[in-house]
């Protein structure tokens, strides 16, 4: 037997212990996507920009709200694209990995710093085929007029059908646009795209310092409160109620928010068409087409709970509901803060939501009063039926207590989660003026069909009316820096063809660079 000399001072047990603890493997920066096609697989059809399905890997680091939660619970509660059964099977099959390694148990707890990767066969929704128009471009920044219906960043089901990926496809794979201000997917208007970090930071710092005046234009239900030109201020705090659905509400515990509104124009509804002349019998009596006498009766007033318009000069004085004919208003909106969905949420709270907003002007979600003055303090939505028609809380019939017209947030979330899946997301305006039966039938929801490759449920093609809402970022200006950029008014904000109006003259601000563009816009409006 041979002997091994051991140097004095060395602890053999410690040496063995050190060998047993190997250094952890470094977390990969990302998992390689199995397919990253270039050029992007776009094609155009029926007024849409579409993407052919492809394989893709999502990579995301653990968010703060995910820490200490089970992996499957995160997927089920945060993402609505696939059912829970799919995510469980994907974890077990190794299509979902953590830090580059398969996960044996779907109940694995996610920790801070973990990188979660999910590889799947990706089906993107279509977006509008309208081009991204350039308002201004220099060596530092591009100012664009973003079309409605296109998300700014890859998010949810959208990747190549996002603003930055569409711009990359037009300018080259190595070009990396840097959005400065973000608009909702359904919102159109002025956006700043930095060509390099210094260019983006220059505009971003001005916006953060609140030296930039932002002006939006919206088309809302009813006669907006206040006299012509009078400013209405809403300073209600806003809280994110559901990250999964992107739902925000006015709540006392929310973040501070302030929006200033001014009614620019109001257009009453057109008069109803005259009834057809009655048919006269030989005896001279008024009869119907079938020959039965008709009784002339007064027109019954509409149910007041079906009105959503309760005008007032400010939020504090909106206790009395004044009813009047609906129509619509064109409203100038100036957000002082920049909360998600801020303008949309404040308009809903004031009782005048954007008339084609599929979330905040959806009676199947919020009931007949559409969330008017709902700050979470009055709850009274009665559910007396177990039917699943989607009109009431918990799938009930949606019967309303007129003294307390607001449903709990849990019921609102449950109804909204069905929109675009089991049910079509219909704003009030879809019923009143936009979409006929044909367009409603085309609206997006789950089709009942499945992909032949990955067996995922497929969505129907959306209607063109679902591509945007009546909200447009019209003008951004920074007086200290000496710049202002403005777009033309969208068609929906112009006076109706049979109504004379100088609405452009009511709006503040000049055109891009000089005032020439604004003058041309005034002339075009006056010519209608």
């Amino acid at each position: 037997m041979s002997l091994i000399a051991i140097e004095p001072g060395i602890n053999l047990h410690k040496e063995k212990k050190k060998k047993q603890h190997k250094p952890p493997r470094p977390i990969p920066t990302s998992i390689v996507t199995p397919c990253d096609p270039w050029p992007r697989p776009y094609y155009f059809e029926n007024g849409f920009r579409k993407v052919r399905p492809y394989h893709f890997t999502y990579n995301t680091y653990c968010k703060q709200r995910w820490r200490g939660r089970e992996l499957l619970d995160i997927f089920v509660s945060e993402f609505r694209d696939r059912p829970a059964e799919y995510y469980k099977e994907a974890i077990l099959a190794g299509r979902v990995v953590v830090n580059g390694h398969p996960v044996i148990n779907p109940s694995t707890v996610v920790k801070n710093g973990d990188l979660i990767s999910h590889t799947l066969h990706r089906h993107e929704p279509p977006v509008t085929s309208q081009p991204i128009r350039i308002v201004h471009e220099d060596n530092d920044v591009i100012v664009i007029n973003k079309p409605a219906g296109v998300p700014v960043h890859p998010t949810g089901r959208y990747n190549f059908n996002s603003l930055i990926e569409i711009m990359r496809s037009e300018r080259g794979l190595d070009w990396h646009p840097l959005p400065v201000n973000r608009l909702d997917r359904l919102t159109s208007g002025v956006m700043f795209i930095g060509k390099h970090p210094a260019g983006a930071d220059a505009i971003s710092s001005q916006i953060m310092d609140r030296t930039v005046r932002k002006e939006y234009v919206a088309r809302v239900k009813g006669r907006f409160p206040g006299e012509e030109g009078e400013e209405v201020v809403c300073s209600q705090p806003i809280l994110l109620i559901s990250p999964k659905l992107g739902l925000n509400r006015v709540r006392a515990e929310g973040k501070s928010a302030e929006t200033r509104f001014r009614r620019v124009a109001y257009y009453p509804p057109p008069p109803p068409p005259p009834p057809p002349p009655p048919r006269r019998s030989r005896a001279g009596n008024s009869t119907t087409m079938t020959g039965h006498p008709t009784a002339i009766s007064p027109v019954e007033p509409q149910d007041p709970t079906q009105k959503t318009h309760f005008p007032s000069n400010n939020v504090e004085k909106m206790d009395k509901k004044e009813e009047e004919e609906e129509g619509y208003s064109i409203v100038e909106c100036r957000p002082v803060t920049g909360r998600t969905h801020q303008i949309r949420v404040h308009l809903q709270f004031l009782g005048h939501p954007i008339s084609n907003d599929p979330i905040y002007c959806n009676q199947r979600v919020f009931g007949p009063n559409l969330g008017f003055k709902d700050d979470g303090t009055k709850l009274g939505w009665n559910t007396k039926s177990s039917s699943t028609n989607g009109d009431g809380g918990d799938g009930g019939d949606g019967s309303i207590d007129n003294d307390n017209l607001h449903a709990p947030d849990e019921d609102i979330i449950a109804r909204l989660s069905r929109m675009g899946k089991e049910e079509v997301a219909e704003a009030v305006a879809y019923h009143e003026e936009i979409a006929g039966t044909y367009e409603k039938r085309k609206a997006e929801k789950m089709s009942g069909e499945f992909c032949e490759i990955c067996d995922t449920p497929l969505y129907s093609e959306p209607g063109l009316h679902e591509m945007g809402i009546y909200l447009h970022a019209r003008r951004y200006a920074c007086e200290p820096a000496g710049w202002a950029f403005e777009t033309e008014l969208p068609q929906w904000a112009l006076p109706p063809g049979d109504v004379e109006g100088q609405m452009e003259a009511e709006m503040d601000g000049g055109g891009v660079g000089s005032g020439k563009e604004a003058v041309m816009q005034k002339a075009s409006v006056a010519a209608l």
Side-chain angles (χ1 to χ4, degrees), residues 119-174:
T119 301
L120 77 166
H121 191 233
R122 190 162 186 172
H123 298 257
E124 292 198 37
V127 299
T128 178
S129 61
Q130 293 181 4
I132 300 171
R133 303 190 183 279
I134 305 299
V135 177
H136 168 82
E137 182 172 359
D138 55 35
N139 294 330
D140 302 315
V141 70
I142 307 172
V143 184
I144 66 169
N145 186 0
K146 172 190 170 298
V150 182
V152 176
H153 298 278
T155 179
R157 293 191 292 147
Y158 298 89
N159 180 34
F160 296 144
N161 262 349
S162 62
L163 183 79
I164 63 173
E165 287 296 335
I166 293 173
M167 294 189 72
R168 286 184 68 203
S169 73
E170 296 173 349
R171 297 187 175 231
L173 178 63
D174 296 330

Side-chain angles (χ1 to χ4, degrees), residues 181-302:
N181 62 318
R182 291 199 304 174
L183 300 180
D184 295 341
R185 176 176 64 87
L186 299 176
T187 304
S188 59
V190 174
M191 270 198 65
F192 296 87
I193 308 295
K195 288 186 171 181
H196 49 79
D201 291 343
I203 301 295
S204 179
S205 62
Q206 294 168 5
I207 294 177
M208 294 294 292
D209 293 340
R210 297 188 180 179
T211 59
V212 175
R213 178 185 172 104
K214 298 174 284 187
E215 298 177 11
Y216 291 66
V217 60
R219 176 169 161 174
V220 305
K221 287 176 58 63
R223 184 190 293 272
F224 193 79
E227 301 298 329
E228 293 290 345
E230 181 182 353
E231 192 172 71
V232 175
V233 180
C234 183
S235 55
Q236 297 291 327
I238 294 177
L239 179 68
L240 176 62
I241 299 297
S242 172
K244 181 178 181 178
L245 301 175
L247 176 66
N248 293 267
R249 306 297 311 279
V250 165
R251 293 293 180 266
E253 63 271 28
K255 295 181 179 180
S256 61
E258 180 178 318
T259 314
R260 300 175 179 270
F261 300 100
R262 184 172 65 92
R263 189 178 80 231
V264 176
Y266 169 68
Y267 301 106
R279 184 177 178 181
R280 296 284 179 177
S281 66
R282 293 182 180 179
N285 295 327
S286 175
T287 64
T288 64
M289 294 298 291
T290 57
H292 298 290
T294 58
I296 300 176
S297 59
V299 178
E300 295 183 1
Q302 291 184 335

Side-chain angles (χ1 to χ4, degrees), residues 366-522:
F366 293 99
N369 74 334
L370 290 171
F372 168 63
K373 290 188 66 178
D374 182 1
D375 59 2
T377 59
K378 290 186 176 182
L379 304 177
W381 192 294
N382 295 330
T383 56
K384 300 179 180 179
S385 169
S386 58
S387 65
T388 57
N389 59 7
D391 292 325
D394 297 328
D397 64 352
S399 55
I400 303 298
D401 176 357
N402 290 330
D403 293 328
N404 297 289
L405 294 175
H406 308 309
D409 289 334
E410 294 77 11
D411 289 355
I412 298 294
I413 292 171
R415 295 188 206 102
L416 186 59
S417 65
R418 294 194 291 267
M419 299 297 113
K421 287 185 174 289
E422 293 91 349
E423 303 175 26
V424 170
E426 294 178 332
V428 169
Y430 293 170
H431 295 282
E432 295 178 349
E433 57 186 278
I434 298 179
T437 303
Y438 174 69
E439 287 297 330
K440 291 176 189 175
R441 187 168 64 245
K442 286 183 62 179
E444 185 186 41
K445 66 176 182 178
M446 284 188 170
S447 65
E449 300 176 354
F450 296 86
C451 174
E452 296 179 355
I453 296 176
C454 63
D455 202 37
T456 186
L458 299 179
Y459 287 82
S460 61
E461 183 176 273
L464 288 173
H465 63 280
E466 295 182 286
M467 287 293 100
I469 58 175
Y470 295 151
L471 180 61
H472 179 77
R474 181 172 181 265
R475 188 173 189 266
Y476 274 57
C478 182
E479 185 174 350
W483 57 259
F485 299 105
E486 180 177 351
T487 68
E488 295 182 354
L489 285 171
Q491 186 66 35
W492 51 258
L494 299 177
D498 57 347
V499 176
E500 295 183 1
Q502 277 278 4
M503 184 172 57
E504 188 74 29
E506 299 288 339
M507 307 290 286
D508 291 334
V512 177
S514 67
K516 183 176 180 181
E517 182 177 329
V519 173
M520 294 176 62
Q521 290 178 12
K522 289 181 182 179

